[in-house]
Amino acid sequence: MSIKTATLNGVATIEIARPEKKNALTVAMYQAMTDALRAATADAAVRAVLITGQPGVFTSGNDIEDFMKRAPGQGSEAMDSPVFQFMRALLDCDKPVVAAVTGAAIGIGTTMLLHCDFVYVSDEARLAMPFVSLGLVPEFASSLLVPQLMGHRRAAEKLLLGDPFTPEQAVDCGIANAVLPAGEVVNHARRVAERFNGLPPGAVRESKQLLRAPQRELMLTIIATEGAIFARRLRSPEATEAFQAFFQKRKPDFSKF
């Protein structure tokens, strides 16, 4: 399955554990994370959720081979796919979500951070959203949230050119709270999550809802709009060329488009 879950001292941990594939996410892994988030939301004993990866890698994004075999359908069918169910489960989680970014965070590895309440990045981390280079478009409301955080021009660098950014830049633009040494990031994130054991859970839940409420419906609309375009572009000649080049370990040729 490659997703490990455990609940200890009020914290439900979701650990992406597929280091041999750089923690690339399969459809089954999305489903496991969705189930874990829903279980944490329903469990009164859980006061916070911690999402983490493996030393040196948070997640490299979608497992392209698995993703192409089980690509989301088009129209409303796309929103029923495991990846979009995961997005909805993270949006619906009313407990604080803390992310410990242990290394590379690519694609949805970065965009999921936009929906976490606390994000701590290791000094080895590298973040990137290279959707366009794969013939795709931004997802998980990143086309809305990244420009809000960075401004249009810096967002264009990250979303149109796919430029990676450093842990320090993630903090500077508001995606992350702090940069920590690689060996300390998970323990620090866990300590933050455990602080909610000493706070009134109802007040925490309702305060989180208030923080998210102004944009919640807009984010759902944007996610659906992005998702429809993303699903269509998965079947485009540009994406086909990008994925073939990936598997053939060559540079893609977009000159014919």
Side-chain angles (χ1 to χ4, degrees), residues 187-208:
N187 287 337
H188 179 83
R190 183 173 297 280
R191 286 193 296 270
V192 171
E194 289 175 347
R195 289 179 60 183
F196 288 97
N197 289 319
L199 292 170
V204 169
R205 287 194 303 272
E206 292 186 350
S207 295
K208 173 171 175 172

Side-chain angles (χ1 to χ4, degrees), residues 54-68:
Q54 300 296 297
V57 61
F58 182 62
T59 171
S60 57
N62 289 319
D63 181 310
I64 290 180
E65 185 173 3
D66 178 85
F67 195 68
M68 292 310 296

Side-chain angles (χ1 to χ4, degrees), residues 6 23 130 208 255:
N23 278 2
K208 173 171 175 172
S255 63

Side-chain angles (χ1 to χ4, degrees), residues 98-160:
V98 184
V101 182
T102 49
I106 310 301
I108 198 167
T110 291
T111 60
M112 76 167 73
L113 304 178
L114 302 170
H115 303 277
C116 297
D117 302 291
F118 302 85
V119 176
Y120 299 96
V121 292
S122 109
D123 54 9
E124 297 178 348
R126 181 177 66 89
L127 293 79
M129 297 175 285
F131 302 112
V132 168
S133 65
L134 291 171
L136 303 173
V137 295
E139 35 82 320
F140 215 166
S142 57
S143 63
L144 169 72
L145 299 175
V146 174
Q148 287 181 345
L149 286 169
M150 300 183 181
H152 175 80
R153 287 160 190 82
R154 283 196 292 175
E157 290 178 341
K158 309 309 179 191
L159 291 173
L160 297 182

Side-chain angles (χ1 to χ4, degrees), residues 77-252:
E77 182 184 341
M79 302 312 293
D80 293 329
S81 66
V83 61
F84 288 105
Q85 289 297 309
F86 165 71
M87 293 180 186
R88 187 60 187 257
L90 186 52
L91 280 174
D92 288 345
C93 184
D94 61 0
K95 314 288 175 71
V97 179
V98 184
V101 182
T102 49
I106 310 301
I108 198 167
T110 291
T111 60
M112 76 167 73
L113 304 178
L114 302 170
H115 303 277
C116 297
D117 302 291
F118 302 85
V119 176
Y120 299 96
V121 292
S122 109
D123 54 9
E124 297 178 348
R126 181 177 66 89
L127 293 79
M129 297 175 285
F131 302 112
V132 168
S133 65
L134 291 171
L136 303 173
V137 295
E139 35 82 320
F140 215 166
S142 57
S143 63
L144 169 72
L145 299 175
V146 174
Q148 287 181 345
L149 286 169
M150 300 183 181
H152 175 80
R153 287 160 190 82
R154 283 196 292 175
E157 290 178 341
K158 309 309 179 191
L159 291 173
L160 297 182
L161 293 175
D163 285 354
F165 48 110
T166 66
E168 292 77 14
Q169 288 172 326
V171 172
D172 179 60
C173 74
I175 289 179
N177 293 79
V179 181
L180 293 118
E184 299 176 16
V185 65
V186 174
N187 287 337
H188 179 83
R190 183 173 297 280
R191 286 193 296 270
V192 171
E194 289 175 347
R195 289 179 60 183
F196 288 97
N197 289 319
L199 292 170
V204 169
R205 287 194 303 272
E206 292 186 350
S207 295
K208 173 171 175 172
Q209 290 168 0
L210 288 168
L211 285 168
R212 297 286 185 172
Q215 290 204 117
R216 177 176 172 78
E217 293 306 316
L218 177 57
M219 282 194 293
L220 289 170
T221 299
I222 295 295
I223 287 171
T225 300
E226 291 171 339
I229 299 171
F230 193 101
R232 174 167 52 80
R233 288 220 54 85
L234 272 173
R235 296 159 177 81
S236 70
E238 291 176 352
T240 298
E241 166 61 16
F243 291 133
Q244 286 179 348
F246 175 83
F247 290 124
Q248 294 167 7
K249 297 182 175 163
R250 61 174 174 82
K251 185 176 179 179

Side-chain angles (χ1 to χ4, degrees), residues 44-56:
V46 171
R47 298 301 181 92
V49 176
L50 172 64
I51 301 177
T52 186
Q54 300 296 297

